[in-house]
Amino acid sequence: MLLRLRNAAASMAELSQRQDRVASNLANANTTGYLRDRAFATALRERIDAEGSPQSTREAGQVADVTSGSLVETGNALDLALDGNGFFAVQGDDGRTRYTRAGSFVLDASGTVRSPQGHALLRDDGAPLTVPPSGGALAVTASGGVTVGGAAVGRIQTVEVDDPSQLVRLDGASFDAAGVAVQPGASRVRQGFLAASNVDAVGEMVELIAHVRLFESQQKSLKTTDETLSAVTRDLGTF
């Protein structure tokens, strides 16, 4: 009986985490370059407990789904998207390199191309991409080459991650490679486009409803077991 209580409580804890994950996905459904989190669970040491119920040690977690979202045309010269599974490399003032598909960039006062969060877009040589003040039209080729007024100013660094499941989310749309090997990317750069979130809002809502119903069923099971134990304890006191 106590094992049933433990199993129900463990299931409710896992379902609660999954509800939080789905809620986060829904909250970022309109975040540029956002990659949805998907859950996984691994069952270890599967066995039958003393009450004849299946028992296992479960490891639950979540990973980023690197499936590309749709590309939305904006016409803005500093809006960039990757047609493929690559990532842009950006760097904050702390020197930490982040990887993202959110390509909504702006120019700061010194001409450095930055994300709205202030992270500098990196060239393939690791230096921040800077646009000279001379002016002229900014153009980006499919291979990431950048020209201003026809003069080359560098090539945008794009990378691909050997094992995307190991990416560690730093904020809504940027990741730390966490020691996982990265290599030069082959994704096509699209100027004047942005990568939309890959969240399917309807699918997430369906999943959320399913999790809520499963949580409620485990909650009822927990309550029933508790009431049964209370009745047994009460009856034992009459002997």
Side-chain angles (χ1 to χ4, degrees):
M1 193 70 72
L2 292 178
L3 289 174
R4 293 182 185 177
L5 287 173
R6 185 178 65 184
N7 290 344
S11 296
M12 290 170 67
E14 183 177 329
L15 286 167
S16 180
Q17 293 176 353
R18 295 197 174 200
Q19 289 175 38
D20 290 342
R21 174 187 56 78
V22 174
S24 178
N25 286 341
L26 286 171
N28 287 282
N30 295 318
T31 299
T32 299
Y34 180 81
L35 301 177
R36 64 182 288 269
D37 279 323
R38 58 183 179 84
F40 71 89
T42 304
L44 306 172
R45 296 183 59 234
E46 294 181 306
R47 58 200 181 276
I48 301 299
D49 62 29
E51 298 178 9
S53 300
Q55 180 78 10
S56 65
T57 302
R58 294 171 61 86
E59 288 186 358
Q62 58 188 42
V63 296
D65 179 357
V66 298
T67 304
S68 298
S70 60
L71 302 186
V72 179
E73 186 172 6
T74 66
N76 188 330
L78 285 173
D79 284 345
L80 306 174
L82 292 175
D83 192 357
N85 294 325
F87 293 85
F88 295 110
V90 297
Q91 190 175 72
D93 293 336
D94 58 0
R96 186 177 195 177
T97 301
R98 300 164 178 250
Y99 300 99
T100 183
R101 288 189 187 162
S104 178
F105 297 108
V106 295
L107 288 178
D108 67 10
S110 64
T112 300
V113 181
R114 295 184 180 274
S115 71
Q117 293 76 30
H119 304 134
L121 178 63
L122 298 182
R123 303 187 315 209
D124 58 0
D125 61 0
L129 178 63
T130 302
V131 176
S134 57
L138 186 149
V140 182
T141 67
S143 61
V146 182
T147 61
V148 176
V153 296
R155 185 177 301 277
I156 295 171
Q157 180 182 160
T158 63
V159 303
E160 292 183 0
V161 182
D162 287 348
D163 185 3
S165 67
Q166 299 300 312
L167 290 171
V168 177
R169 191 183 298 277
L170 297 175
D171 55 37
S174 69
F175 298 86
D176 185 350
V180 181
V182 298
Q183 56 192 2
S187 298
R188 180 186 177 193
V189 180
R190 301 285 300 275
Q191 184 179 21
F193 287 81
L194 289 176
S197 164
N198 67 354
V199 173
D200 175 7
V202 174
E204 296 291 337
M205 284 297 299
V206 171
E207 187 174 351
L208 181 62
I209 292 171
H211 289 162
V212 170
R213 288 177 176 172
L214 285 171
F215 186 90
E216 289 175 345
S217 67
Q218 292 293 340
Q219 192 175 41
K220 290 178 181 178
S221 174
L222 194 66
K223 182 179 180 181
T224 299
T225 303
D226 179 63
E227 290 174 347
T228 301
L229 284 172
S230 297
V232 169
T233 302
R234 184 177 59 252
D235 292 343
L236 283 174
T238 62
F239 291 98

